[in-house]
Amino acid sequence: GGWDASSVGSGKGTGDGSDANATGTNPSSANSSGNSPINDGPLSEVSFWHARAADLAGIQLQLDAPGVGRVVMVLKRVGSTYLEPFVALRAALTSESAAAFDNAKFLKTLVEPCVALANASAKEVGPLMPGISHRVRLVWNSSEHYNKPERVFGLLRKISNEVTRRCASAVVVGDILDGNVLDASEALRASLEACDAWKTSFEFTRVAVNKRHAAEEKMQWRWSPTSLFARLDAFEQRCKDLLVVCDAQTQFAPKTPVPVFGGSQGVEIRKSFSDIRESFQVLNVSFSKQGAAQNALDVTASAWHDDFNNFIAKVKDLQVRFTNVMTNAVDGVRGDLGSFVERVDALRLMSPVGDSSSPIGRCADRLTNELITAFAKELATTKEHFDTHREKPPTHPSMPRRAGAAAWALSQHNRLLVPWQRLDVASKAWYGVSLSDSKKGNVSVSNSQTEFHALRAAYVAALPSFEKYAKEQHGAWVVHVENKITPSLRQRLENRLLTFRDAGDGADVDAFAATTEDGIETADGENAATGSPKGLHLLKVNFDDALLIASEETKHFERMYFQIPSTCSTLAGNREKYRQMREEVLTLVTRYNALVSRLDTQERKLFRDRLGALDKKIAPGLQKVSWQSSKSVLEFFGAEALKQVVDTTAQVDVFKLAMAEVKRGCETIARTRLTAQTKGRVYGEGEFSAAQAERIAEAGESFTTCRAQMDATLKKTWKTIFNRDSRFVQNQWRLLLRRVDAQILTSLRLAVKNALRDVSRALHGDAKTKEVTPLFGVAAVLSNTGATGSITGDTTASAYGDTTVSA
């Protein structure tokens, strides 16, 4: 009894292989989101056939038992109707058992790679697929019972499901929405590589199978890849969509803060980028609330498409805003190449996922190309400027010739050096390798990098010309020093401290010395030290110009790190010493020249003794004291000469103040009014005479006071300065007094002239208006005999007679 039920039941479960269990396909298999049941993979197919073979082997063992044989013999004898169905069923069972054992035997070859696949990460899936495909091909070619299209198709689809499940298990959508996209992006790319590896392996296997069975159409794989990989393709598209989300997160929600931009618009630019990031955060929160984390990898969830398309549309709007801010950020710095490089570098670092396929990437490439163009233009302009002016460099007048030319050439290079260094450093972040490094190795180079390499070649080609020119200028200077300066260095330092500005061969210096000794006069009465037919003898510092230029050349060449000749090194070691000496001598020269220049010819004669004493103090600097004299000699000469200059200057100041006071007195006399008339007043009889007499008295008193003050000032000046001077100076002082008297007389005449002008204006009126103003009153008396009259005022003669007489 019991075995009949089991055999019948088993018979129903082992049909001809066309049912679902035989093919290994399960219509209720789960989706590709990683939550599929275990029987959705290739191992479930292998387990099914091993279990089926074991079950059928157990039934076969029961049917082969001795008791069953005796029952069959009894049924044959009695001619039972159950015997024929039983025999047919046992034959089918035997056939199915053999098929199950054959299928299990060949599918066992899939156990090892499929177990590895079930435990593999997304990166490990790809290398496993060729081995699995090869074993499926082995089963198809060698198995007698499993090489049915529906069975192998189901096996291949289960392999696809397992690939999808292993890839999905590595992707955490929640991390992507939280901004942790680094690991997620790697997992998504590994998943796409795994799916492509499985498709490539299948296609290779399909071609190999069809080639082997070219003559047997039924043994060829005629399945459509679209139907086989429908879910796999959907999963790949979801991975690509999630990569887009990762790029948006990287672009608009990075972990780094917005960089600080310089310039007047820096704060506004930074705020614009911050606003874009805040807008993306709002969009990201909304996208997460719509179920993106749950629907992203579920290929059966149709709501994902609408949510994703809405997300992408808003991301594109943010990209447009981002590119507009990028363009505005560089508009204000295009004129400054260094700032242009820094600004483009900051913008490219803010565009980590930018490439030619995205608006932000295209904008970054456009700005980079503009930077390259601007740099190339600046390089061409600099090179043209250098070639045009290299024969006569436009150096500052204070710069020495050779060092100035070398500094100018290097400045043309340095004009581009700093921006270029920034550009080369920035290229490491832009392309992952510097331009210099990529030039040396087998590194793939983009179009943008190619343009950079062309720019670098032009820059490197221009660089040697600047350096060569500077070295040529330095070499020419070294030759000049060795040929001209070094042989005569000692002689040049033996130069006297002072010389005359107009001195030619030194004859004037000798005349100056003779004059200071003997006190002789020139033909026109001028001292040779203070005047000559050619003009003033002004002093100048007599430090050798060639040494001064060499010292300046040395200072500037040292700053440019050029080698300095030993002669110039020695001179440079005493640079501060000679500088202090020149400063002290220059102070003396400046004060001496200022003193002499303040005196005219007559005043220099008057100060002959003072200037003679001063010239004696100055004479050693013209005759004996040199730049190599001892420190004590230099200090003594400088102190004594400067003291004499200061004392003489003080005496000249006193004299100038006295003469200025005399001049003011003469001006007061010239401005004094000698008429008493008041504008608009008509004088009666006797009134004007009285007023005029009073005015003349006041004027006379004013003249007396001014003359007394001038006399006092001149006497004090004479006693203070010229009392003990020579006879020549005393004669010059008397001549000065005569000139002062002449000035006073001139002032008196000017006062009288002004008075007469006032009288003429009063009598004849203003020359412009021709209007005569009444001055005197007239009274007329009428009588029967006729009219008689008399002038009640003063006559003109009586009114102004006293004035003319007094004058």
Side-chain angles (χ1 to χ4, degrees):
W3 62 269
D4 285 337
S6 63
S7 62
V8 173
S10 298
K12 291 180 179 180
T14 61
D16 59 358
S18 61
D19 58 304
N21 289 334
T23 60
T25 60
N26 189 348
S28 63
S29 60
N31 55 48
S32 305
S33 63
N35 298 322
S36 302
I38 191 63
N39 62 358
D40 196 28
L43 287 178
S44 64
E45 182 74 6
V46 177
S47 300
F48 168 77
W49 285 108
H50 278 78
R52 183 180 179 84
D55 291 343
L56 293 178
I59 296 174
Q60 184 68 38
L61 184 62
Q62 295 181 37
L63 294 177
D64 292 339
V68 175
R70 287 193 296 270
V71 172
V72 171
M73 291 179 61
V74 172
L75 292 177
K76 283 182 179 181
R77 291 177 182 179
V78 298
S80 174
T81 58
Y82 289 102
L83 182 60
E84 185 176 353
F86 175 78
V87 173
L89 185 60
R90 187 169 67 174
L93 181 64
T94 302
S95 176
E96 286 296 327
S97 178
F101 274 102
D102 183 75
N103 292 343
K105 180 181 68 174
F106 283 100
L107 290 177
K108 187 176 181 181
T109 59
L110 290 170
V111 172
E112 181 179 353
C114 288
V115 169
L117 177 63
N119 298 317
S121 63
K123 292 182 179 180
E124 298 170 346
V125 170
L128 296 175
M129 302 319 298
I132 295 176
S133 299
H134 177 71
R135 285 167 172 77
V136 173
R137 176 185 172 191
L138 174 66
V139 172
W140 175 263
N141 291 332
S142 303
S143 176
E144 296 180 0
H145 302 280
Y146 199 82
N147 54 358
K148 302 294 188 295
E150 62 275 8
R151 287 180 176 174
V152 175
F153 182 85
L155 177 62
L156 293 174
R157 192 165 67 177
K158 288 191 175 186
I159 294 174
S160 297
N161 293 339
E162 186 64 28
V163 171
T164 303
R165 183 164 46 251
R166 296 316 308 158
C167 293
S169 65
V171 180
V172 182
V173 181
D175 289 346
I176 298 177
L177 299 178
D178 291 338
N180 303 317
V181 298
L182 184 59
D183 294 338
S185 298
E186 293 181 358
L188 290 170
R189 293 187 180 90
S191 299
L192 292 174
E193 292 175 359
C195 294
D196 290 339
W198 167 228
K199 289 181 179 181
T200 302
S201 179
F202 166 76
E203 183 62 24
F204 178 83
T205 303
R206 186 181 69 83
V207 171
V209 169
N210 293 342
K211 182 178 180 180
R212 177 175 180 176
H213 301 287
E216 302 178 64
E217 185 174 355
K218 66 177 183 178
M219 290 296 293
Q220 296 181 3
W221 287 2
R222 296 295 181 182
W223 312 301
S224 172
T226 304
S227 61
L228 177 61
F229 299 122
R231 291 189 176 182
L232 189 67
D233 291 339
F235 177 76
E236 281 190 283
Q237 185 58 46
R238 293 295 174 88
C239 290
K240 294 177 181 178
D241 294 346
L242 288 175
L243 279 176
V244 174
V245 177
C246 289
D247 290 344
Q249 290 281 353
T250 303
Q251 179 65 65
F252 298 109
K255 301 300 181 181
T256 57
V258 178
V260 177
F261 294 89
S264 58
Q265 297 181 344
V267 176
E268 181 180 353
I269 295 172
R270 193 168 190 266
K271 184 178 183 301
S272 299
F273 284 123
S274 299
D275 292 342
I276 293 174
R277 290 189 177 186
E278 292 176 1
S279 299
F280 179 79
Q281 291 296 339
V282 175
L283 174 61
N284 189 50
V285 172
S286 175
F287 185 54
S288 301
K289 291 181 178 179
Q290 292 172 353
Q294 294 75 22
N295 300 331
L297 295 178
D298 186 359
V299 297
T300 62
S302 59
W304 165 261
H305 299 286
D306 296 334
D307 297 339
F308 178 74
N309 291 334
N310 181 56
F311 176 81
I312 290 301
K314 294 181 178 179
V315 166
K316 289 181 178 179
D317 293 338
L318 294 179
Q319 289 176 340
V320 172
R321 290 173 57 188
F322 197 93
T323 56
N324 291 336
V325 177
M326 290 175 66
T327 302
N328 295 334
V330 301
D331 286 343
V333 297
R334 297 181 188 273
D336 185 355
L337 202 55
S339 300
F340 198 179
V341 174
E342 291 180 349
R343 189 63 57 87
V344 172
D345 184 28
L347 294 177
R348 289 195 68 105
L349 293 180
M350 291 183 64
S351 311
V353 296
D355 53 33
S356 58
S357 62
S358 66
I360 295 177
R362 289 193 295 271
C363 182
D365 289 341
R366 176 174 59 82
L367 295 178
T368 303
N369 291 334
E370 291 180 5
L371 173 60
I372 297 174
T373 303
F375 200 102
K377 182 178 180 181
E378 185 70 13
L379 178 61
T381 302
T382 302
K383 190 68 170 63
E384 181 182 2
H385 176 76
F386 175 76
D387 293 337
T388 303
H389 297 89
R390 63 182 300 159
E391 296 299 329
K392 190 176 180 181
T395 58
H396 193 272
S398 63
M399 292 288 290
R401 177 188 172 192
R402 298 296 184 182
W408 170 76
L410 294 180
S411 69
Q412 301 304 304
H413 171 238
N414 295 335
R415 179 180 175 183
L416 301 172
L417 178 61
V418 174
W420 177 258
Q421 290 176 342
R422 294 176 180 173
L423 188 61
D424 189 49
V425 172
S427 67
K428 297 179 181 180
W430 298 352
Y431 308 114
V433 62
S434 69
L435 301 180
S436 304
D437 296 336
S438 62
K439 192 74 175 178
K440 299 176 183 177
N442 296 325
V443 182
S444 61
V445 181
S446 64
N447 292 334
S448 181
Q449 280 180 286
T450 303
E451 295 179 2
F452 272 111
H453 284 314
L455 178 63
R456 182 178 186 274
Y459 174 79
V460 172
L463 176 61
S465 60
F466 299 122
E467 296 180 343
K468 181 181 179 182
Y469 181 84
K471 291 179 180 178
E472 289 175 352
Q473 295 298 323
H474 173 259
W477 173 69
V478 171
V479 171
H480 169 75
V481 169
E482 292 177 350
N483 294 339
K484 301 294 184 180
I485 304 298
T486 302
S488 59
L489 177 62
R490 183 177 182 84
Q491 179 182 355
R492 294 174 185 273
L493 291 176
E494 290 293 340
N495 287 346
R496 304 302 177 256
L497 297 181
L498 302 173
T499 187
F500 292 116
R501 286 185 182 179
D502 54 354
D505 56 358
D508 287 342
V509 176
D510 297 336
F512 178 88
T515 304
T516 57
E517 293 291 337
D518 302 331
I520 63 174
E521 299 183 12
T522 58
D524 60 353
E526 291 186 353
N527 188 297
T530 57
S532 69
K534 297 181 180 180
L536 295 178
H537 279 309
L538 300 180
L539 300 178
K540 70 175 183 179
V541 180
N542 193 30
F543 193 83
D544 189 79
D545 292 338
L547 293 183
L548 189 60
I549 294 174
S551 179
E552 288 298 310
E553 297 271 15
T554 302
K555 179 177 68 175
H556 290 285
F557 274 121
E558 282 179 343
R559 292 177 179 177
M560 291 181 281
Y561 301 101
F562 281 100
Q563 186 175 2
I564 305 301
S566 58
T567 301
C568 292
S569 298
T570 303
L571 192 63
N574 297 320
R575 180 186 299 149
E576 183 62 20
K577 167 189 171 183
Y578 292 131
R579 185 195 66 80
Q580 293 180 358
M581 293 172 63
R582 290 199 310 274
E583 291 290 340
E584 294 173 358
V585 175
L586 181 60
T587 301
L588 174 63
V589 168
T590 301
R591 294 194 175 188
Y592 178 87
N593 291 341
L595 170 63
V596 174
S597 300
R598 290 175 62 188
L599 301 175
D600 58 23
T601 302
Q602 300 299 330
E603 290 172 341
R604 287 199 296 275
K605 293 178 181 179
L606 185 62
F607 279 89
R608 175 188 174 186
D609 293 353
R610 300 292 180 276
L611 295 178
L614 175 59
D615 292 341
K616 290 182 179 180
K617 297 293 185 181
I618 296 294
L622 292 164
Q623 301 170 345
K624 300 177 181 179
V625 182
S626 69
W627 299 98
Q628 285 193 324
S629 298
S630 64
K631 182 178 180 181
S632 59
V633 172
L634 291 171
E635 290 179 350
F636 178 79
F637 165 74
E640 290 296 320
L642 185 60
K643 180 178 181 299
Q644 189 67 33
V645 170
V646 171
D647 294 342
T648 306
T649 302
Q651 293 174 344
V652 171
D653 291 340
V654 172
F655 173 76
K656 289 290 186 181
L657 290 175
M659 298 310 297
E661 187 173 349
V662 170
K663 183 179 180 180
R664 286 194 298 271
C666 293
E667 291 174 351
T668 301
I669 293 174
R671 291 194 304 268
T672 302
R673 292 183 58 191
L674 300 179
T675 60
Q677 67 188 62
T678 302
K679 186 177 181 180
R681 178 180 177 182
V682 178
Y683 291 91
E685 183 178 1
E687 291 180 354
F688 186 78
S689 297
Q692 182 64 19
E694 182 180 355
R695 175 69 261 179
I696 292 300
E698 292 177 356
E701 184 179 353
S702 176
F703 292 159
T704 303
T705 303
C706 288
R707 180 55 188 263
Q709 291 177 350
M710 287 187 281
D711 288 344
T713 300
L714 292 173
K715 289 179 180 180
K716 181 179 179 181
T717 303
W718 179 75
K719 291 180 179 180
T720 303
I721 303 175
F722 305 107
N723 185 25
R724 299 178 180 275
D725 285 357
S726 63
R727 179 177 56 83
F728 176 81
V729 173
Q730 300 301 326
N731 292 334
Q732 294 298 321
W733 177 255
R734 285 189 288 271
L735 293 176
L736 173 65
L737 295 180
R738 294 174 186 173
R739 290 194 296 271
V740 172
D741 290 340
Q743 292 176 6
I744 295 174
L745 181 59
T746 301
S747 298
L748 288 173
R749 290 174 178 172
L750 183 59
V752 172
K753 182 178 179 181
N754 293 336
L756 295 176
R757 186 185 296 112
D758 293 341
V759 172
S760 175
R761 188 181 297 112
L763 296 178
H764 301 94
D766 193 351
K768 295 181 180 179
T769 62
K770 302 299 183 181
E771 180 181 356
V772 179
T773 303
L775 181 61
F776 303 110
V778 178
V781 180
L782 299 178
S783 64
N784 294 331
T785 60
T788 61
S790 65
I791 300 176
T792 59
D794 298 327
T795 64
T796 302
S798 63
Y800 291 101
D802 292 342
T803 302
T804 55
V805 172
S806 299

